[in-house]
Amino acid sequence: MDENSNPFELGCATEVFGLRRPEVGRDLYEFRLCSTEPSTLMRDGFFTLTGVYGLEAADTADTVIVPNRPDTDVPRRPAVLDAIRRAHARGRRLVGFCSGAFTLAEAGVLDGRRATTHWQWADSFRDRFPAVRLEENVLFVDDGDILTAAGSAAALDLGLHIVRRDHGVQVANSVSRRLVFAAHRDGGQRQFIERPMLDIPDESLAPTLAWAQERLDAPLTVADLARHASVSPATLHRRFQAQLGTTPLAWLTRERLNLACRLIEQGESRLEVVARHSGVGTTANLRTLMRRETGLAPSQYRRRFSPGAV
C-alpha cells in the first residue's frame, strides 16, 4: 500500500485473506501488510498504520493486492510501481481494489488488459490510460493473473471470488457466512442500481429463491419461478434485476453450478451423478459450465478440491 490508502478496502483484504479460519479447519493464506515506510499515514490522516512490512514482502508474495487511494491524480511512489512490475514479471497474481486500478495502470501492467474501477473515476481512468480495456459497469473483472474490483463492497465480492477460485465453493461459502455477506455476486453485475428499491416485503424474492434451491435437480424453468412468485416472467425478470442485479436464468445456472461444485468437493466422482443431481443436465453441459465459470474441467476441479486433495 501507498500513503493515503483507504482503510475500508485494506480492511476488506484483511478480513478475507488475513484471518484464521477455524470454520474450515485450516488457514487459507499467509497475509502481510507492506508499504514503503514502516509508518504509513492512511486516508485523510484518519490514523497512522505502524509496524508493517517493507515492500520487500511483495517480492515473495504469490498475490499482491493494491488498495485504493482517493487522490487518483497524484503519482504513486516509484518504489510501489517497481514492486508491482517485479511481481508481474515473476508471473504473480495482481489485484486492484477500486482506484487501485490506477496504480496497476500507472505501473504499465494493464495495457491491453481488461479492468474496472469505481464508476466515479471511469472517465478519468479512460482518459489517462486509453490502452486499458475498461469495463466500467461491472463489480469486478477477472482477467486471469490481474483482477480488479470496482470499489468499496465490490472488494469483498472480488475477495470471495478469489477464495472460490483458490479453495472451492464450500470454503468460499464458509468465509462469506462469517462475513455475513452474499456468497456470490457475479462480477458482471452493475456497480449500482439507478433507481432505489421500494421496501415492499411481498416483492421479496427470498421465498422463491429458497424454494428453487431445494429443487435444483428438477427441470425448473423461469416460468416455474414466476409461478411460484405469483408474477409474470417479465415481472420476475425485473425483480431479479432490481434485487440481485442478474437474470433468473443466470441465477438458476449459477446455483446449479455451485451445487455441482459442492458435490465434487464432497467426494462425488461420477460426473453423470453430479450433472443429474445439480440439475445441469448432461456431463457435456457440466464440463462447459465449469470451464466457463471456474476455468477448470471437472476432473481438474476434483483433483484440486475433493476430499484428500492437497
Side-chain angles (χ1 to χ4, degrees):
M1 60 185 172
D2 205 349
E3 189 176 61
N4 208 33
S5 289
N6 190 357
F8 181 84
E9 279 77 4
L10 186 65
C12 289
T14 304
E15 280 285 330
V16 175
F17 303 107
L19 300 188
R20 294 188 177 278
R21 295 294 172 193
E23 66 271 26
V24 300
R26 67 184 190 277
D27 294 340
L28 303 181
Y29 300 95
E30 181 181 347
F31 180 81
R32 293 181 178 179
L33 297 175
C34 65
S35 183
T36 54
E37 304 291 341
S39 179
T40 302
L41 191 68
M42 300 301 290
R43 178 175 178 172
D44 297 331
F46 287 155
F47 60 89
T48 299
L49 196 64
T50 62
V52 299
Y53 288 87
L55 288 181
E56 64 274 5
D59 290 332
T60 59
D62 293 317
T63 299
V64 176
I65 301 174
V66 183
N68 84 323
R69 284 175 42 179
D71 49 349
T72 57
D73 293 331
V74 177
R76 273 43 178 168
R77 297 189 186 188
V80 172
L81 301 179
D82 287 342
I84 291 170
R85 294 184 187 111
R86 289 195 302 270
H88 184 60
R90 296 191 339 265
R92 299 307 186 233
R93 181 166 61 187
L94 301 176
V95 178
F97 286 163
C98 193
S99 61
F102 280 78
T103 307
L104 296 177
E106 193 173 339
V109 301
L110 282 182
D111 288 356
R113 304 290 295 267
R114 297 168 51 241
T116 192
T117 191
H118 195 287
W119 60 268
Q120 186 177 7
W121 290 305
D123 290 340
S124 172
F125 186 95
R126 191 180 294 104
D127 290 341
R128 287 182 59 187
F129 307 109
V132 181
R133 295 160 53 194
L134 183 67
E135 298 183 11
E136 60 183 280
N137 287 320
V138 297
L139 293 177
F140 62 83
V141 168
D142 180 344
D143 199 40
D145 60 337
I146 302 181
L147 303 92
T148 47
S152 297
L156 288 174
D157 290 303
L158 179 53
L160 288 171
H161 171 76
I162 292 171
V163 173
R164 187 179 305 109
R165 211 172 84 168
D166 291 346
H167 299 283
V169 169
Q170 289 193 124
V171 170
N173 287 346
S174 294
V175 174
S176 71
R177 284 194 296 271
R178 182 166 171 180
L179 289 169
V180 196
F181 191 76
H184 179 83
R185 290 198 299 169
D186 186 75
Q189 287 185 216
R190 292 180 61 85
Q191 290 186 22
F192 63 95
I193 298 171
E194 296 179 4
R195 295 182 179 179
M197 290 190 332
L198 298 177
D199 186 14
I200 304 177
D202 63 0
E203 288 193 355
S204 170
L205 288 170
T208 296
L209 300 183
W211 175 82
Q213 286 170 330
E214 294 176 355
R215 296 165 174 80
L216 292 174
D217 60 338
L220 290 178
T221 65
V222 173
D224 294 327
L225 299 180
R227 276 192 294 272
H228 184 272
S230 299
V231 296
S232 69
T235 297
L236 183 75
H237 192 279
R238 287 194 296 271
R239 290 186 184 176
F240 263 80
Q241 288 288 2
Q243 297 181 33
L244 300 179
T246 189
T247 66
L249 182 59
W251 176 86
L252 192 58
T253 300
R254 165 58 63 176
E255 289 298 307
R256 283 172 165 157
L257 181 60
N258 282 343
L259 177 55
C261 290
R262 290 198 300 272
L263 290 171
I264 293 173
E265 291 170 21
Q266 291 165 3
E268 180 55 68
S269 61
R270 297 164 296 176
L271 295 188
E272 67 278 5
V273 173
V274 172
R276 184 172 68 252
H277 286 185
S278 63
V280 301
T282 65
T283 56
N285 197 32
L286 175 64
R287 290 188 179 95
T288 299
L289 286 173
M290 291 199 70
R291 281 193 177 278
R292 187 182 73 194
E293 300 297 329
T294 71
L296 300 172
S299 58
Q300 294 171 312
Y301 196 92
R302 181 171 60 245
R303 286 195 297 271
R304 189 167 177 178
F305 298 120
S306 65
V310 178

